[in-house]
Amino acid sequence: MNTFLSSSQEALREQYEKYAAEEIQPSAKDLEQGKASLKEFLQKLGQTGFLGMTIAKEYGGASGSFLDQALFVEAACEYEAGLGLALSAHFQVVELIKRYGDDRQKSRYLPLLARGEAVGAFCLNEENAGSDYSLIEAVATTKQEAPKLTGKKLWVVNGKIATLLVVVAKDEETGKLSLWLVDSGDSKTIKVTDGAKKLGLRSATSDQIEFVETKLAEGSRLEGDAVQQIEFALDTAKTILAMASIGMTAGAMKLAVEHAKTRKQFGKNIGAFQAIQWKLADMSTDLSAARMLALRAAWAFDDAKEDFRKYAAMAKLLSSKTARFQTGEAIQVLGASGLVEDSPAERFYRDAKMMEICQGTSELQKVVIAEELKV
Ligand SMILES: Cc1cc2nc3c(=O)[nH]c(=O)nc-3n(C[C@H](O)[C@H](O)[C@H](O)COP(=O)(O)OP(=O)(O)OC[C@H]3O[C@@H](n4cnc5c(N)ncnc54)[C@H](O)[C@@H]3O)c2cc1C
């Protein structure tokens, strides 16, 4: 299953798994139920070095690969998949600044993001602009001496806890989209409210943010082609979320295997029944296939390959479908014990459905894959 990872990456993965079992597992339920603070948890991850894994050492990061980062997300999501969503938003912002930021933006934000002193959030979605972000109505008025931002963003992961927002807005004058780095501290013009309580991934908040003539600081625009920047941010998140889906499916499978070995019915462990064995065999096969595709997307990112976009879409599509189906199969093996709130399987099942929608729906992944096939 892991033949594509180098021995040092295998060692890293073992280290992450140990960390996740010891440090994330005990807090998983409290994080999902809002009894533990996600912000404090992310700060702890930042202090341990997990928020700046791909940031260059000169900016306080570990100069590691995107694949290393993806492996950490996989390990974390074996216990708490909402963390994967929160990390995907933070890493989107990190990677955008790394790729498109100028020297001043990099030296100002990357050290804070690496240490977890700043958490990132990506603000794209609006009421009338879901899959089709060309319909964005948030507007940046750049004509005046002091540019300003007005508009309302929905479903902003980390919205409430983020200190650095990347906001997509339409330029009032040119009508073109652009991305802006906005410090969230100005509470007079930036109003953050709770998003609706959602089916799963509950530890990560998805908030509404309204900007009312928020001042855009000088030099806060990310220079470059906005559509490329948005697509890059989405592809980055899709790859992270693919690994999160793999992590949660692996977590659910572990529970199912353990249950199959210990639950006795009709005088045998239920794992002795072929019906259960086949479920677990299918689960293991689907998980391995989805994992290889997700790792393939992470490699494409690291190699800056043009096929990153295609693999990120394929990885998100397959891993979320696998997670949705196989977390359900895990509950089938667990029987009623998998349906209760105390069981992480119940949480994984709710989390998995979310993955088919957030950061681009499965239908939109197929649109991207077909575009790459030039059909
Ligand atoms: C948990 C979660 C976290 C999120 N985090 C963020 C975030 O941090 N920042 C942010 O900006 N946004 C975020 N979003 C928003 C998310 O990106 C959008 O929900 C997603 O892009 C879909 O938009 P929509 O929900 O408006 O659905 P719509 O675009 O209205 O789609 C509705 C349905 O129509 C289908 N559809 C639409 N267009 C097509 C087409 N061309 N071909 C085929 N089918 C189509 C869709 O696939 C879907 O089934 C998040 C959403 C969720 C659920």
Side-chain angles (χ1 to χ4, degrees):
M1 183 162 168
N2 302 314
T3 42
F4 295 112
L5 298 181
S6 68
S7 53
S8 60
Q9 282 164 334
E10 278 297 348
L12 269 183
R13 198 172 78 99
E14 278 172 28
Q15 201 183 308
Y16 298 157
E17 280 189 350
K18 186 167 180 297
Y19 180 88
E22 288 171 3
E23 303 292 333
I24 297 176
Q25 185 178 23
S27 303
K29 203 165 147 195
D30 283 350
L31 281 167
E32 125 110 354
Q33 294 180 350
K35 291 178 190 161
S37 154
L38 177 70
K39 186 173 184 179
E40 282 169 21
F41 205 85
L42 289 176
Q43 279 165 349
K44 182 172 124 181
L45 291 183
Q47 284 154 13
T48 321
F50 291 127
L51 296 193
M53 295 169 78
T54 70
I55 293 175
K57 284 192 175 136
E58 60 175 307
Y59 296 118
S63 288
S65 67
F66 191 79
L67 181 53
D68 297 348
Q69 184 163 270
L71 291 172
F72 175 71
V73 172
E74 177 190 27
C77 293
E78 271 195 35
Y79 301 103
E80 182 20 43
L83 262 186
L85 182 63
L87 289 172
S88 75
H90 181 78
F91 294 150
Q92 267 180 317
V93 171
V94 166
E95 299 303 337
L96 273 171
I97 295 177
K98 274 174 56 196
R99 180 167 293 197
Y100 295 102
D102 59 29
D103 288 346
R104 205 192 54 82
Q105 291 165 336
K106 285 180 188 166
S107 40
R108 175 160 181 205
Y109 293 115
L110 290 179
L112 298 174
L113 291 163
R115 292 194 295 267
E117 286 166 29
V119 170
F122 185 60
C123 310
L124 177 72
N125 189 270
E126 297 179 4
E127 190 173 357
N128 296 318
S131 303
D132 183 0
Y133 58 77
S134 71
L135 300 174
I136 277 176
E137 289 163 12
V139 69
T141 50
T142 52
K143 219 169 151 192
Q144 300 102 314
E145 229 170 76
K148 288 187 178 143
L149 169 71
T150 295
K152 191 171 178 183
K153 297 290 178 179
L154 305 182
W155 287 100
V156 180
V157 169
N158 297 338
K160 263 197 302 205
I161 59 170
T163 24
L164 178 60
L165 312 171
V166 174
V167 187
V168 184
K170 206 161 247 180
D171 190 297
E172 191 188 40
E173 225 185 328
T174 63
K176 287 190 176 160
L177 294 177
S178 51
L179 277 68
W180 298 86
L181 301 175
V182 179
D183 289 314
S184 65
D186 179 5
S187 58
K188 276 196 191 128
T189 70
I190 304 178
K191 302 192 189 320
V192 186
T193 45
D194 289 348
K197 194 170 178 191
K198 53 194 190 311
L199 174 72
L201 301 173
R202 288 183 177 166
S203 64
T205 62
S206 313
D207 308 305
Q208 303 186 13
I209 306 189
E210 188 170 4
F211 302 92
V212 186
E213 298 201 342
T214 304
K215 199 171 159 222
L216 293 165
E218 200 186 329
S220 62
R221 209 186 109 130
L222 270 186
E223 293 304 329
D225 181 306
V227 171
Q228 272 178 21
Q229 292 170 340
I230 294 166
E231 292 297 329
F232 172 70
L234 292 175
D235 294 344
T236 300
K238 284 177 205 173
T239 309
I240 293 295
L241 292 178
M243 289 304 274
S245 296
I246 304 299
M248 73 171 82
T249 312
M253 184 169 137
K254 264 191 200 163
L255 299 171
V257 169
E258 194 47 41
H259 194 73
K261 285 191 207 164
T262 51
R263 172 72 171 168
K264 282 200 167 39
Q265 289 293 286
F266 300 99
K268 296 174 181 172
N269 288 334
I270 58 165
F273 300 122
Q274 200 173 48
I276 299 294
Q277 290 172 4
W278 284 17
K279 274 192 199 306
L280 296 175
D282 282 342
M283 208 179 282
S284 182
T285 306
D286 287 2
L287 181 60
S288 294
R291 185 169 193 267
M292 287 198 198
L293 198 51
L295 291 174
R296 178 70 181 78
W299 287 321
F301 180 104
D302 282 327
D303 286 350
K305 288 268 165 25
E306 278 175 16
D307 57 10
F308 173 52
R309 184 166 188 255
K310 179 177 80 181
Y311 279 107
M314 294 201 305
K316 166 96 167 21
L317 177 66
L318 183 65
S319 63
S320 58
K321 186 161 70 173
T322 301
R324 193 211 352 111
F325 181 68
Q326 294 298 358
T327 55
E329 289 294 89
I331 291 184
Q332 202 62 26
V333 174
L334 289 160
S337 69
L339 292 171
V340 295
E341 248 188 31
D342 266 356
S343 166
E346 173 265 353
R347 175 156 42 88
F348 288 138
Y349 184 61
R350 287 187 286 104
D351 292 342
K353 178 60 209 170
M354 307 290 293
M355 292 293 184
E356 294 191 308
I357 293 179
C358 59
Q359 301 284 5
T361 64
S362 294
E363 291 76 15
L364 264 288
Q365 304 321 311
K366 291 184 193 179
V367 170
V368 170
I369 297 160
E371 269 173 22
E372 293 294 309
L373 292 172
K374 306 198 189 324
V375 285

